[in-house]
Amino acid sequence: MAYDLITMGRIGVDLYPLQTGVPLPQVTSFGKFLGGSATNVAVAAARLGRDTAVITRTGEDPFGEYLHQALRDFGVDDRWVTPVPGLATPITFCEVFPPDDFPLYFYRRPKAPDLEIDAHELDLEAIREARVFWVTGTGLSEEPSRTATLAALAHRAKAGTTVFDLDWRPMFWTDPAAARPFYEEALRHTTVAVGNLDEVEVATGVREPHAAAEALLAAGVELAVVKQGPKGVLAVHRDGTTAEVPPLPVNVLNGLGAGDAFGGSLCHGLLEGWDLERIMRHANAAGAIVASRLECSSAMPTAQEIEAAVTAGEVR
């Protein structure tokens, strides 16, 4: 079976405070959720009716068991989610200070299992046959995940739609200069690049949105998607088509996970063959809906919820 979407990258447990506006030392209760950007994208697309799977690794521990169960509950195939003996399943804490301050605290040491994805264990034919394949910048930050990510991209050879989520997390790298050569190599094998202003600057050295989009196209992609925060999103296709869509009004509760909802909806729109502006409007709406909710994975919207927000012009 060819999947609509296979993602490859981070997984973990999100422990989010159930109180907003409270620093971690004073928080008294937390909610437990499936997390990890690549995993959340698979969940978001599954919520929209897509057949999805994720390639990642967990610890051989109760949190790892929880993640398998959560994936199955969300309808995401977990056949390529394998344990790494001796490493713990990562957890991530955040603080929630709406509307725009959500510090993240990653517990991924001495090493996260998802960075132990090995090229020799990949189902390369399934990766090549998937209609969309999604990888992240974090997957390039350490070996053997780096080699596995680039091997998967090279084998796929731009078959179908191949998305590179630039996903720059400075705590996973020594400095941006160390990341850029690997980002450039990944871009040569991908058809779609997605990133915010910080991420496109790491990948290309350019921060101005239109110039960054052109730099991503010059690096080899067919479609460059530059997320501009309060200025919305810019999408530029190699054929000259451009869409620049403003953000949807929303009362933000927790901005974490909004980008993953955007990604899942982006994949859905590309699979549907929608025009570029419609894809961006729906992806923006998906992200805004999740930003209005506390959790990430379990907050991913349905197609009906996204359509309602697009029609209303706001998240109610």
Side-chain angles (χ1 to χ4, degrees), residues 253-311:
L253 176 60
N254 184 357
L256 302 173
D260 303 331
F262 181 101
S265 181
L266 168 67
C267 293
H268 177 66
L270 290 169
L271 288 164
E272 287 291 305
W274 292 344
D275 66 74
L276 194 55
E277 182 164 335
R278 183 180 181 189
I279 292 172
M280 292 302 114
R281 289 194 181 278
H282 280 68
N284 254 2
I289 290 169
V290 171
S292 73
R293 300 169 175 175
L294 174 64
E295 64 273 22
C296 293
S297 53
S298 56
M300 296 301 170
T302 64
Q304 292 76 18
E305 289 173 321
I306 295 171
E307 195 63 54
V310 170
T311 300

Side-chain angles (χ1 to χ4, degrees), residues 7 43 53 87-88 105 114 121 126 185 206 212 231 254 280 285:
T7 69
V43 170
L87 292 180
Y105 304 92
D114 54 61
E121 298 172 356
E185 176 65 15
V206 180
K231 292 186 177 180
N254 184 357
M280 292 302 114

Side-chain angles (χ1 to χ4, degrees), residues 53-95:
V54 60
I55 301 169
T56 190
R57 307 197 72 180
T58 70
E60 201 169 43
D61 53 26
F63 272 150
E65 294 173 15
Y66 160 72
L67 294 175
H68 276 280
Q69 185 58 58
L71 286 168
R72 294 175 193 138
D73 289 346
F74 286 126
V76 177
D77 196 321
D78 64 342
R79 70 181 63 195
W80 296 305
V81 182
T82 57
V84 180
L87 292 180
T89 298
I91 59 173
T92 302
F93 288 92
C94 79
E95 294 175 301

Side-chain angles (χ1 to χ4, degrees), residues 10-11 15 40 54 71 148 154 157 179 188 206 223 255 257 292 294 303:
R10 286 205 311 276
I11 195 170
L15 295 175
N40 279 338
V54 60
L71 286 168
R188 290 199 310 110
V206 180
L223 174 63
S292 73
L294 174 64

